[in-house]
């Protein structure tokens, strides 16, 4: 379920309290007017929850990807390998660094086909950017093996699977750098927002400076006399987003459990003659989406009709496929990248993504799957 379903008095009170305590909406300075630094607190809570050394809160998931790529040294002329089932944001972030996106196909896990990834590596490859799509991890063990073998850094786009784990580690904390999105459709939300996570202090230092015009926040100087060694941009999060983020992070355990309850009930009636999305072993998915494949387009339409009639709808597949599949992105990608990923498009065209909503009970998911598969 997306975190917006749980927004209630707690988020509202947190925003009101921010105004009661002085109403400073900026993460730095104004010391005399404030009691708390909520963006910094949100970052500390994130590092603690996700068991990661550094968390940097930023203005969006897309900004987080760009910052992460810059911190990994991606520059004009470099190539970055990402995948055909994705969101346009990763392509935009790569292009914004002046680099070239190289697109690997996905396999039946609907995440990066890692054999395909290896074939695309060459001396221009600066980073690998796997995307944990719709709650399910890519095989991070294999990704890190490739990373070590070819000496290429990994940025995990974990915008869509906040709270999922691979090998008992939270996604976004396994690669050299990882990013979250807190936009309104994601597992937890701050309206707009994102996080850059890393265990490497050099990556954190660069990211922190880059997202804040190069400010080093040198404790020996006031902000107006602050030292700098790089120029950056403004991708700061506001205090208002952070107070909401702190409340939402407190709800993540509940979100994960509620997803699992509903997902398991839905799965109970899933028939043997249909094919589910493959889940890598050693993974604990977010279970916010149940994806299965249907060969016959007539049957597929029938399922979608029932899902719409029952008020569940579908998620991205098929309704927003044009924003999630690189075969449609000839406005941003070279023709050879678009053509290669027709394979991904063919696979995605067979898929139905059932959203897991909190507002629908586990029992309703059981009844839905009975209606879909047992009649
Ligand atoms: C949502 C999303 C993003 C971008 O996040 P924003 O916070 O909306 O900028 C990036 N990648 C993927 C896979 C996403 O789903």
């Amino acid at each position: 379920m997306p975190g917006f379903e749980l927004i209630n008095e707690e988020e509202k009170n947190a925003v009101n309290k921010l105004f009661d305590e002085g109403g400073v909406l900026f993460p730095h300075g104004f010391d005399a007017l404030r009691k708390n630094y909520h963006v910094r607190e949100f970052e500390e809570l994130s590092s603690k929850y996700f068991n990661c050394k550094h968390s940097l809160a930023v203005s969006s998931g897309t900004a987080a990807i760009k910052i992460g790529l810059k911190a990994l040294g991606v520059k004009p002329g470099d190539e970055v390998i990402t995948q055909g089932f994705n969101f346009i944001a990763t392509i935009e972030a790569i292009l914004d660094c002046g680099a070239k996106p190289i697109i690997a196909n996905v396999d039946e896990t609907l995440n990066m086909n890692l054999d395909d990834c290896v074939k695309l590596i060459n001396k221009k490859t600066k980073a690998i950017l796997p995307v944990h799509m719709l709650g399910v991890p890519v095989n991070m063990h294999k990704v890190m093996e490739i990373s070590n073998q070819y000496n290429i850094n990994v940025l995990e786009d974990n915008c869509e699977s906040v709270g999922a784990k691979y090998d008992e580690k939270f996604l976004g904390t396994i690669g050299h750098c990882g990013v979250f999105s807190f936009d309104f459709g994601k597992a937890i939300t701050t309206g707009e927002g994102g996080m850059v996570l890393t265990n490497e202090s050099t990556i954190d230092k660069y990211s922190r400076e880059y997202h804040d015009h190069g400010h080093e926040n040198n404790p020996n100087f006031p902000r107006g006399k602050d030292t700098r060694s790089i120029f950056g941009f403004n991708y700061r999060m506001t205090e208002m987003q952070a107070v909401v983020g702190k409340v939402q992070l407190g709800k993540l355990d509940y979100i994960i459990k509620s997803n699992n309850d509903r997902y398991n009930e839905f799965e109970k009636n899933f028939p043997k003659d249909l094919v589910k999305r493959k889940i890598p072993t050693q993974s604990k998915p977010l279970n916010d989406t149940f994806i299965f494949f249907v060969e016959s387009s007539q049957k597929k339409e029938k399922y979608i009709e029932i899902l719409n009639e029952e008020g569940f709808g579908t998620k991205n597949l098929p309704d927003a496929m044009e924003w999630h599949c690189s075969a449609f992105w000839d406005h941003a990608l070279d023709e050879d990248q678009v053509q290669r990923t027709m394979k991904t498009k063919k696979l995605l065209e067979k898929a139905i993504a059932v959203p897991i909503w909190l507002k629908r009970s586990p029992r309703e998911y059981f009844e839905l799957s009975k209606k879909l598969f047992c009649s």
Side-chain angles (χ1 to χ4, degrees), residues 1-69:
M1 96 205 38
F4 79 77
E5 286 188 281
L6 293 176
I7 289 180
N8 59 17
E9 291 295 308
E10 285 181 77
E11 282 82 355
K12 191 175 153 185
N13 291 340
V15 174
N16 283 336
K17 191 157 162 276
L18 172 65
F19 284 94
D20 294 341
E21 71 192 21
V24 175
L25 307 182
F26 193 62
H28 300 283
F30 300 94
D31 299 4
L33 301 176
R34 69 200 294 166
K35 295 188 186 69
N36 302 84
Y37 294 81
H38 295 284
V39 172
R40 302 286 91 85
E41 285 174 24
F42 184 33
E43 291 171 348
E44 275 169 40
L45 289 171
S46 161
S47 291
K48 207 166 151 195
Y49 187 98
F50 298 105
N51 195 20
C52 184
K53 278 207 188 100
H54 308 282
S55 298
L56 170 70
V58 298
S59 53
S60 74
T62 311
I65 300 169
K66 163 107 185 269
I67 294 161
L69 289 173

Side-chain angles (χ1 to χ4, degrees), residues 60-63 65 86-87 89-90 131 133 157 159-160 181-183 186 192-193 324:
S60 74
T62 311
I65 300 169
N86 200 344
F87 178 53
T90 60
V131 188
M133 285 300 285
D157 179 343
C159 288
E160 294 197 359
S181 164
F182 306 129
D183 81 25
K186 299 292 160 58
E192 295 278 10
H324 293 275

Side-chain angles (χ1 to χ4, degrees), residues 146-188:
I146 295 168
S147 161
N148 288 331
Q149 188 181 343
Y150 294 91
N151 196 22
I152 299 170
N153 285 329
V154 172
L155 179 108
E156 290 174 73
D157 179 343
N158 190 38
C159 288
E160 294 197 359
S161 307
V162 174
K165 286 180 176 173
Y166 182 84
D167 206 9
E168 295 306 318
K169 292 194 189 87
F170 280 107
L171 300 184
T173 69
I174 306 167
H176 300 86
C177 185
V179 304
F180 295 168
S181 164
F182 306 129
D183 81 25
F184 205 60
K186 299 292 160 58
I188 56 173

Side-chain angles (χ1 to χ4, degrees), residues 94-164:
I94 295 166
L95 290 171
D96 226 37
C97 293
K100 183 177 176 184
I102 302 293
I103 316 291
N105 276 295
V106 300
D107 58 24
E108 319 84 78
T109 66
L110 297 186
N111 286 327
M112 190 183 280
N113 179 327
L114 297 173
D115 295 331
D116 218 24
C117 170
V118 168
K119 284 185 205 146
L120 296 169
I121 292 174
N122 64 61
K123 58 182 192 311
K124 288 186 183 166
T125 310
K126 188 69 178 180
I128 302 174
L129 207 175
V131 188
H132 307 292
M133 285 300 285
L134 292 173
V136 173
V138 70
N139 180 336
M140 279 307 292
H141 178 73
K142 225 164 154 183
V143 169
M144 296 319 288
E145 254 180 23
I146 295 168
S147 161
N148 288 331
Q149 188 181 343
Y150 294 91
N151 196 22
I152 299 170
N153 285 329
V154 172
L155 179 108
E156 290 174 73
D157 179 343
N158 190 38
C159 288
E160 294 197 359
S161 307
V162 174

Side-chain angles (χ1 to χ4, degrees), residues 60-338:
S60 74
T62 311
I65 300 169
K66 163 107 185 269
I67 294 161
L69 289 173
K70 293 289 283 189
L72 296 181
V74 173
K75 55 185 189 317
D78 290 339
E79 293 185 357
V80 176
I81 301 175
T82 186
Q83 64 193 57
F85 183 35
N86 200 344
F87 178 53
I88 188 75
T90 60
I91 308 301
E92 291 167 329
I94 295 166
L95 290 171
D96 226 37
C97 293
K100 183 177 176 184
I102 302 293
I103 316 291
N105 276 295
V106 300
D107 58 24
E108 319 84 78
T109 66
L110 297 186
N111 286 327
M112 190 183 280
N113 179 327
L114 297 173
D115 295 331
D116 218 24
C117 170
V118 168
K119 284 185 205 146
L120 296 169
I121 292 174
N122 64 61
K123 58 182 192 311
K124 288 186 183 166
T125 310
K126 188 69 178 180
I128 302 174
L129 207 175
V131 188
H132 307 292
M133 285 300 285
L134 292 173
V136 173
V138 70
N139 180 336
M140 279 307 292
H141 178 73
K142 225 164 154 183
V143 169
M144 296 319 288
E145 254 180 23
I146 295 168
S147 161
N148 288 331
Q149 188 181 343
Y150 294 91
N151 196 22
I152 299 170
N153 285 329
V154 172
L155 179 108
E156 290 174 73
D157 179 343
N158 190 38
C159 288
E160 294 197 359
S161 307
V162 174
K165 286 180 176 173
Y166 182 84
D167 206 9
E168 295 306 318
K169 292 194 189 87
F170 280 107
L171 300 184
T173 69
I174 306 167
H176 300 86
C177 185
V179 304
F180 295 168
S181 164
F182 306 129
D183 81 25
F184 205 60
K186 299 292 160 58
I188 56 173
T189 183
T190 57
E192 295 278 10
M195 197 74 89
V196 181
L197 298 101
T198 183
N199 285 304
E200 297 183 23
S201 54
T202 51
I203 294 176
D204 179 61
K205 181 176 184 301
Y206 184 96
S207 302
R208 228 161 255 286
E209 291 167 14
Y210 184 77
H211 102 293
D212 187 20
H213 301 299
H215 269 284
E216 288 179 333
N217 283 295
N218 190 327
N220 301 320
F221 298 98
R223 196 168 157 87
K225 298 277 179 211
D226 198 7
T227 50
R228 65 225 148 249
S229 50
I230 60 162
F231 67 87
F233 212 75
N234 176 4
Y235 294 118
R236 290 183 301 254
M237 179 177 269
T238 74
E239 294 288 279
M240 244 192 304
Q241 289 163 291
V243 293
V244 173
K246 288 197 294 178
V247 174
Q248 284 267 307
L249 185 58
K251 296 179 177 181
L252 187 53
D253 279 345
Y254 176 75
I255 290 174
I256 293 167
K257 191 194 169 302
S258 307
N259 283 348
N260 291 342
D261 292 347
R262 287 156 181 75
Y263 191 99
N264 293 338
E265 285 303 308
F266 185 79
E267 197 169 29
K268 278 182 182 165
N269 294 309
F270 191 76
K272 289 202 167 52
D273 59 332
L274 272 179
V275 179
K276 264 185 293 193
R277 177 187 193 179
K278 235 192 212 156
I279 312 288
T281 52
Q282 294 174 277
S283 59
K284 284 208 180 101
L286 185 59
N287 284 343
D288 66 333
T289 318
F290 188 105
I291 301 182
F292 62 101
F293 301 99
V294 190
E295 292 292 333
S296 130
S297 56
Q298 221 177 348
K299 260 192 172 164
K300 188 180 147 194
E301 289 313 315
K302 189 92 199 25
Y303 286 131
I304 292 170
E305 201 182 299
I306 297 173
L307 283 162
N308 287 333
E309 269 170 20
E310 298 297 319
F312 288 83
T314 59
K315 201 162 143 181
N316 300 358
L317 302 172
D319 12 325
M321 199 163 128
E322 294 185 21
W323 286 94
H324 293 275
C325 174
S326 59
F328 294 95
W329 301 339
D330 55 6
H331 66 300
L333 294 171
D334 287 353
E335 187 55 25
D336 56 332
Q337 306 301 323
V338 171

